[in-house]
Amino acid sequence: MYVFCSLVLSKVSFGQDNTILLWQNKVPNQNQSQEVESQNKDDIFWIENVQNPTLEVFLPAKRNSTGKAIIICPGGGYQGLAYDWEGTDVAKWLNSKGVAAFVLKYRLPGSKSIINKSIAPLQDAQRALRLVRYHSDKWNIKKNQIGIMGFSAGGHLAATLATRFNANLSSKYDEIDDESARPDFTILIYPVITMNVPYTHEGSKRNLLGENPDNQLVALFSNELQVTENTPPTFLIHTSDDEAVPVENSILFYKSLREHKVPSEMHIFPKGGHGFGLALGQGYLQTWTERLSDWMDNLDNQN
């Protein structure tokens, strides 16, 4: 198993837009089913019913590389993935800044194949971080400069990894699982953070936790309650007029980061709504990527 994995990785590590499986054999926490992945490539490349979670690899030119890497979790309310809008387009922008990028196609809890639905996305995020760290030399990445980034529900997944990276969700699969799953930094763009009313995004909550989750499960997946002093430095973007995921989600997380003395930076834009992606052509809002670039350039001063 590992030999085959290494051969695949050595093949893709020097090219652009290559996709690798998170697991080469049986995916943990999943049964065989007749379900198949669905893709819609209209206005936004939309994916549902993910059966084989993957990482799509985007590498900058070696001479431009900063050594940083970011795993991107597209949003979609834990129902689907806005794979290009909040994934591959962002990866290409990161490459322009010398940052290696990996778009995570993670399992969605609505899939009938999944056994324990609430933990499957986190299992995939943990595995993705470990895989990139394990093979960092192949991709010209510094092992201690690997971050996680998420949009909307993908932001909830990124924040869940940032706060619960040590969660023991399955038995060891291979040598890759010996690596730490802790991100070195976290980037959250209009993220779902809390599962508590009145600020949660009800669709994400229902899809991830079910119709009537108990209070203990709600608290466990309310990431503002899971922050510790070991949570990595965090960058947040939100808009005040977000009617889908209220700005209070980011504010709650930022307050908890401050209480635990975790270096953090938050930018709240007055307008822009939800799901703006890179916000190209949206005036002042499109400068959020410049704020992020500045923050990444100064990460070494925050640890």
Side-chain angles (χ1 to χ4, degrees):
M1 176 177 64
Y2 173 66
V3 172
F4 176 71
C5 181
S6 295
L7 289 173
V8 172
L9 286 167
S10 66
K11 180 179 178 181
V12 304
S13 61
F14 299 103
Q16 288 280 29
D17 302 357
N18 295 288
T19 302
I20 57 175
L21 295 172
L22 294 190
W23 288 278
Q24 294 298 324
N25 294 321
K26 180 174 171 57
V27 179
N29 186 30
Q30 184 165 302
N31 288 323
Q32 290 278 349
S33 77
Q34 298 302 312
E35 204 170 34
V36 295
E37 179 179 306
S38 64
Q39 299 183 357
N40 186 324
K41 298 184 179 181
D42 290 337
D43 186 41
I44 291 176
F45 182 14
W46 182 258
I47 300 175
E48 293 187 1
N49 294 323
V50 174
Q51 300 299 300
N52 291 300
T54 61
L55 278 178
E56 189 169 359
V57 183
F58 294 80
L59 301 178
K62 194 167 185 178
R63 288 183 62 181
N64 290 332
S65 175
T66 63
K68 290 185 174 66
I70 295 176
I71 297 163
I72 305 168
C73 305
Y78 283 120
Q79 172 67 36
L81 302 177
Y83 193 78
D84 55 355
W85 185 251
E86 295 171 345
T88 56
D89 282 4
V90 179
K92 293 168 186 175
W93 174 78
L94 287 168
N95 280 180
S96 76
K97 299 298 179 180
V99 178
F102 301 81
V103 182
L104 176 60
K105 186 173 73 173
Y106 55 92
R107 286 173 293 166
L108 298 155
S111 170
K112 295 179 177 63
S113 305
I114 298 173
I115 301 168
N116 186 335
K117 297 181 182 300
S118 64
I119 67 170
L122 180 56
Q123 286 177 308
D124 293 349
Q126 286 181 326
R127 177 69 173 183
L129 204 298
R130 288 171 172 145
L131 191 150
V132 172
R133 184 161 280 142
Y134 186 85
H135 292 284
S136 55
D137 288 346
K138 295 179 182 292
W139 288 311
N140 196 34
I141 293 166
K142 296 176 182 176
K143 207 168 187 176
N144 63 349
Q145 294 196 18
I146 302 171
I148 190 81
M149 179 182 197
F151 294 75
S152 193
H156 182 269
L157 176 55
T160 305
L161 181 66
T163 52
R164 295 175 56 209
F165 49 86
N166 277 335
N168 186 9
L169 304 178
S170 60
S171 58
K172 179 178 173 180
Y173 190 84
D174 56 21
E175 297 92 334
I176 293 171
D177 285 346
D178 291 329
E179 294 286 348
S180 170
R182 179 186 182 272
D184 296 298
F185 55 95
T186 307
I187 301 164
L188 306 177
I189 314 301
Y190 43 85
V192 177
I193 292 294
T194 190
M195 293 288 129
N196 284 305
V197 294
Y199 300 126
T200 189
H201 179 252
E202 289 293 345
S204 296
K205 177 181 179 179
R206 182 173 57 255
N207 289 331
L208 184 65
L209 305 183
E211 287 290 346
N212 297 294
D214 62 40
N215 291 337
Q216 185 176 3
L217 194 63
V218 169
L220 183 62
F221 283 91
S222 292
N223 290 317
E224 78 279 11
L225 303 179
Q226 306 303 324
V227 174
T228 72
E229 64 277 5
N230 294 320
T231 302
T234 302
F235 178 91
L236 299 108
I237 291 287
H238 224 117
T239 62
S240 293
D241 66 347
D242 190 332
E243 295 183 0
V245 179
V247 67
E248 282 81 3
N249 280 264
S250 285
I251 292 171
L252 285 169
F253 200 65
Y254 179 74
K255 288 176 64 177
S256 190
L257 291 166
R258 288 196 64 205
E259 288 169 3
H260 290 87
K261 299 185 178 355
V262 176
S264 52
E265 179 172 322
M266 178 171 63
H267 296 269
I268 300 175
F269 289 80
K271 294 183 178 181
H274 188 75
F276 49 78
L278 292 172
L280 299 178
Q282 295 190 47
Y284 179 48
L285 182 59
Q286 71 182 357
T287 66
W288 79 260
T289 54
E290 297 175 24
R291 307 288 77 76
L292 173 57
S293 183
D294 291 342
W295 182 80
M296 287 192 295
D297 287 344
N298 287 281
L299 267 174
D300 292 343
N301 299 322
Q302 299 185 43
N303 290 291

